[in-house]
Amino acid sequence: MLQDTIDRLDVIGRWDWDIGNDRVYADATVALLFSVDPALAEAGTPIVHFLNGMHSEDREETVRLITRCAEGGRSYLAEYRVISADGNTRLLLARGHFTLDQDGVPKRGNGILIDVTQKRIEEVEHASGAVLHSDHPLNRAAEHCLAAHKALNEMPKSVLHHMSATLLMEIGRQIVSFDRAEYLRKLN
């Protein structure tokens, strides 16, 4: 159910962070994306509850970026994975802005979240389809992974489904990087 709702939306929701009081306010959909109780998110909860919902491999770098931008009173743009309340790994694009008080201390942050999971999966499928004529190992891996992902989707959701989706995203990133490098090489 959450998956279907998220797939139909572009902008998932808004968040607001009262930094001085360490309270993040967010709607139910945002809360569920981070595996946070929606009632807590609506009432305001410490940011650590949202940080715990981030994928462990993305958390440290994302926290560093958010901290730098908050301390400087700047805008930020970040892409990271979360493990949502339904157990799915989702890829989010977060855009926000921080303000400082008169003493230059971070006061408030607010912004939006956009779920880009489906877009990335489609990019992987497009990229793998566009270069399948090549016998590069990435293309073969993409073909096999797409077939495995499709087969796993016929079964009840499990850790295998999440792993195959994550693998698909990473193979897609690698293919795009490879294609970009090949394009630049041919350009020179």
Side-chain angles (χ1 to χ4, degrees):
M1 183 66 162
L2 176 62
Q3 181 82 28
D4 295 334
T5 302
I6 290 170
D7 287 341
R8 285 191 303 270
L9 302 173
D10 285 331
V11 174
I12 295 303
R14 299 188 60 79
W15 55 270
D16 186 58
W17 182 21
D18 177 354
I19 298 171
N21 294 310
D22 189 24
R23 289 289 177 256
V24 175
Y25 302 90
D27 61 41
T29 305
V30 171
L32 291 171
L33 279 169
F34 287 85
S35 295
V36 172
D37 179 334
L40 287 176
E42 186 178 330
T45 190
I47 194 166
V48 69
H49 293 142
F50 286 91
L51 298 179
N52 288 339
M54 285 184 182
H55 193 284
S56 60
E57 293 175 8
D58 299 344
R59 189 177 303 129
E60 187 177 325
E61 182 180 334
T62 303
V63 168
R64 274 198 307 268
L65 172 66
I66 291 170
T67 301
R68 276 194 321 270
C69 292
E71 289 172 349
R74 300 187 326 250
S75 295
Y76 86 100
L77 180 66
E79 190 173 288
Y80 53 85
R81 293 169 289 174
V82 293
I83 309 300
S84 60
D86 60 4
N88 286 319
T89 300
R90 307 294 302 177
L91 185 63
L92 301 180
L93 181 66
R95 183 166 184 87
H97 179 76
F98 296 98
T99 57
L100 305 176
D101 67 13
Q102 65 274 11
D103 299 320
V105 175
K107 179 180 178 180
R108 194 157 210 99
N110 58 62
I112 61 169
L113 292 172
I114 302 168
D115 185 309
V116 295
T117 307
Q118 190 60 40
K119 183 175 182 342
R120 292 299 183 259
I121 290 171
E122 289 168 5
E123 287 173 359
V124 168
E125 290 170 352
H126 176 73
S128 64
V131 292
L132 286 178
H133 61 277
S134 170
D135 196 34
H136 191 276
L138 282 175
N139 293 318
R140 291 193 313 272
E143 286 182 56
H144 293 294
C145 191
L146 283 168
H149 187 71
K150 183 177 179 181
L152 291 170
N153 277 334
E154 296 172 10
M155 298 172 45
K157 300 286 185 198
S158 72
V159 69
L160 292 174
H161 180 266
H162 308 301
M163 292 172 73
S164 70
T166 301
L167 182 58
L168 266 173
M169 282 190 271
E170 185 55 33
I171 289 173
R173 286 183 185 142
Q174 294 294 319
I175 288 173
V176 169
S177 295
F178 175 78
D179 287 346
R180 192 173 294 136
E182 282 295 301
Y183 174 76
L184 292 173
R185 185 183 63 75
K186 290 177 182 176
L187 211 61
N188 292 329

